[in-house]
């Protein structure tokens, strides 16, 4: 596999060299490969429509100018056939030497697939029925120096597609269609809202106080004020200030930012629409949602009015008619097989959670327990659009309480195909009640909840002037686009999804700087690398590694210096997990990876009171047992944060060890809280909750886990998923962890 990839890189490099040479040949001939002026008087689709009736073998005298990217090029004697692709489609250029002349014909010899050219000539249809332009002149508009992906395999690597979206758009017309539809959907939403009397507004992107949702923020420093601000996590509170000010119907479509992981439906930077309607309530928001979604289904998906049925990921979604409204407790009751609600004894709700592997906190009341049951079991059972209502006040800090039961709030979430698409409230407008709920949020923050809101004095002051009754709603625009474009992941509907910074090498930079001529002194490759992000020296493939001792000898050495079952089990677990990662990343060295995992904490039981010296004691024990220096180095690398004199993680194996050491401990602690005591039914969703709760397994350093993910070049969710899978893979031998 590595040889094949290296061959591809070499081929690409050779092709780039040849293309650079053709670029230079054009310049030597006095042709600017990147001119200022260009002319386009027609597009491919327009010509297809205008000349649909043109008979085969017919020439016209109609002169047009077209431009686009070369997608195919074939020479045949004194003729050449070029397929040009523009924003609307493809058109053939039927190039003839006698029409182009010597200069135009010589240009064809320096053309490559991917070049952008302009052509002026007459419209014709060939004897084989192909509508074409017969150019009398060709103009190079942009010389392409990189080859497009190979024709038949195309661009299929998702990592490359997301990171190099420009290439993805070139190669995959269906991707272009998704983003055209996205633009159409956003435009339709704006027109729909304006037609319903809503005014579009803009609110600040930076907030001094965290509010409007429960989420971890991105923090930035405002130099002029010398204080930290938060990138907004929601637009709610500024928009409701406008309702106070008398703007009765407002909406905003814009970006929000939440400093959280990425998965199929979450991106740290996302688009939402929030809307607020004075003198409205939940029924107002339900009508708005039904009408909006049905309109998009008709306009984008071609549904007939009254039969708004679409397909999402193989599931039929029926949006027609009046959508169901169901209390959250009713859905939970179906899932657990018995009636439950706010009056159900808390101890019984805890038992229901624990019996289904849902971890709970002693401080949780009935409302939070019901919500957790719904969140884990109920939401995913919903297919057709459903308004899930009557959320507990405990999980709804900005919504009005229901008059008939103040333990519940006048709130709904719109759920379709197991995912939330909207969240709506009858907005809380009692300033005294709001102040109390903000105070509760601050208390939660003090107890370690880094997603809790701050106390917004000015917002409470605004409510003290009086806010009319209002309905409010927030929609996830990205998820809406996923639904109506039938896309499985949020990254498929974001032109530029969040990605880990790409690692490039000095050689990559050098290749771009080849033949560069500047007017002034230019920086060296080393200076550019120092000024860039994640530029590294080329890394050779993994060398053969020898531990010097066998797995059995490593286990015996571990048992010799550790009597606590937990320490022995942790070594076995990390060893097994390391082997699973090695089988994917570095299979030839899987034995070495496992021994490193077994012995990484060899000296912890005997010297745990000396974190700086940790692994230095182990080094001598390993050497005395015949272990290699490569093994010693690998073991010591995972403690370099505590002792800067130790080697830092450099090899993939060392980076993985750094990442999974703390994480396997956190997973083990979470697993033993579950009724099954087994990792086999443990999910990433549960781990994420434990990771956010700093009070749980407080000894597992979350910052170390984050750094480990970054060292490996993975998102946290990916590290979580891969580590859980690795622990499941060794579970047939050891089904439980942390007993």
């Amino acid at each position: 596999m590595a040889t094949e990839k290296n061959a591809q890189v070499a081929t690409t490099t050779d092709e780039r060299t040849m293309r650079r040479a053709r670029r230079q040949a054009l310049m030597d001939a006095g042709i600017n490969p990147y001119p200022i002026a260009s002319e386009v008087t027609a597009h491919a689709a327009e010509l297809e429509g205008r000349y649909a009736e043109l008979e085969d073998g017919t020439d016209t005298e109609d002169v047009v100018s077209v431009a686009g990217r070369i997608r195919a090029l074939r020479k045949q004697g004194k003729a050449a056939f070029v397929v040009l692709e523009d924003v609307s489609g493809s058109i053939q250029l039927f190039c003839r030497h006698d029409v182009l002349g010597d200069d135009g014909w010589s240009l064809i010899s320096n053309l490559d697939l991917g070049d952008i050219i302009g052509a002026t000539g007459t419209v014709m249809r060939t004897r084989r029925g192909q509508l074409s332009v017969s150019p009398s002149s060709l103009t190079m508009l942009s010389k392409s120096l990189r080859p497009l992906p190979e024709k038949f395999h195309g661009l299929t690597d998702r990592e490359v597609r997301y990171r190099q979206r420009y290439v993805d758009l070139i190669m995959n017309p269906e991707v272009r269609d998704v983003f055209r539809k996205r633009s159409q959907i956003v435009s339709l939403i704006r027109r729909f809202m304006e037609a319903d009397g809503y005014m579009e507004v803009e609110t600040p992107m930076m907030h001094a106080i965290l509010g409007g949702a429960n989420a971890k923020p991105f923090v930035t420093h405002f130099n002029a004020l010398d204080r930290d601000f938060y990138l907004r996590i929601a637009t709610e509170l500024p928009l409701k200030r406008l309702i106070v000010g008398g703007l009765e119907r407002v909406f905003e479509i814009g970006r929000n930012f939440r400093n959280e992981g990425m998965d199929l439906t979450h991106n740290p930077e996302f688009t939402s629409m929030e809307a607020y309607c004075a003198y409205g309530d939940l029924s107002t928001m339900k009508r708005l949602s039904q009408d909006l979604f049905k309109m998009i289904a008709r306009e984008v998906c071609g549904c007939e009015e009254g039969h708004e049925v679409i397909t999402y990921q193989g599931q039929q979604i029926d949006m027609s008619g009046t959508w169901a409204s169901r209390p959250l407790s009713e859905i939970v009751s179906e899932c657990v097989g018995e009636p439950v609600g706010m009056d159900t004894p808390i101890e019984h709700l805890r038992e229901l959670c624990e019996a289904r592997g849902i971890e709970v906190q002693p401080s949780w009341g009935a409302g939070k327990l019901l919500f957790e049951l719904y969140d884990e079991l109920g939401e995913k059972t919903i297919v057709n659009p459903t308004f899930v209502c009557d959320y507990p006040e405990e999980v709804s800090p900005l919504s009005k309480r229901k008059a008939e039961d103040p333990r519940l709030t006048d709130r709904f979430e719109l759920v379709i195909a197991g995912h939330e698409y909207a969240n709506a409230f009858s907005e809380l407008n009692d300033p005294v009640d709001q102040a109390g709920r903000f105070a509760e949020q601050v208390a939660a923050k003090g107890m370690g909840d880094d997603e809790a809101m701050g106390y917004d004095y000015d917002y409470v002051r605004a409510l003290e002037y009086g806010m009319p009754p209002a309905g409010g709603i927030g929609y996830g625009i990205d998820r809406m686009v996923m639904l109506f474009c039938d896309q499985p992941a949020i990254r498929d509907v974001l032109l530029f999804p969040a990605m880990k910074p790409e690692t490039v090498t000095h050689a990559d930079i050098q290749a771009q700087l080849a033949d560069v001529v500047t007017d002034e002194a230019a920086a060296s490759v080393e200076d550019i690398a120092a000024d860039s992000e994640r530029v590294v020296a080329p890394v050779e493939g993994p060398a053969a590694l020898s531990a010097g001792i066998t797995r059995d000898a490593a286990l015996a050495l571990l048992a010799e210096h550790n009597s606590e079952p937990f320490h022995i089990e942790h070594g076995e677990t990390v060893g097994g997990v390391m082997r699973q990662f090695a089988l994917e990343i570095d299979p030839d060295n899987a034995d070495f990876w496992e021994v490193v995992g077994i012995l990484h904490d060899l000296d912890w039981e005997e010297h745990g009171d000396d974190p700086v010296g940790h692994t230095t004691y182990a080094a001598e024990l390993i050497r005395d047992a015949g272990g290699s220096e490569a093994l010693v180095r690998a073991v010591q690398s995972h403690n370099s944060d505590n002792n800067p004199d130790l080697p830092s993680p450099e090899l993939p194996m060392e980076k993985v060890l750094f990442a999974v050491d703390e994480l396997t401990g956190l997973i083990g602690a979470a697993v033993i809280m579950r009724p099954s005591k087994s990792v086999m039914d443990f999910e990433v969703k549960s781990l994420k909750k434990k990771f956010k709760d700093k009070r749980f397994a407080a000894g597992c350093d979350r910052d170390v886990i984050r750094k480990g993910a970054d060292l490996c070049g993975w998102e946290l969710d990916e590290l979580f998923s891969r580590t859980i899978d690795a622990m499941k893979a060794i579970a047939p031998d050891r089904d439980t962890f942390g007993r």
Side-chain angles (χ1 to χ4, degrees), residues 439-455:
E440 291 172 355
Q441 288 286 297
V442 174
K445 188 183 294 288
M447 294 173 65
D449 185 351
D450 56 7
E451 294 186 355
M453 302 183 206
Y455 187 93

Side-chain angles (χ1 to χ4, degrees), residues 629-640:
E629 287 304 312
L631 175 59
V632 169
R633 184 211 141 80
V635 166
Q636 291 191 325
S637 69
H638 89 284
N639 195 41
S640 56

Side-chain angles (χ1 to χ4, degrees), residues 516-527:
V516 167
V517 178
T518 61
D519 294 331
E520 300 178 3
S524 66
V525 172
E526 289 70 25
D527 290 339

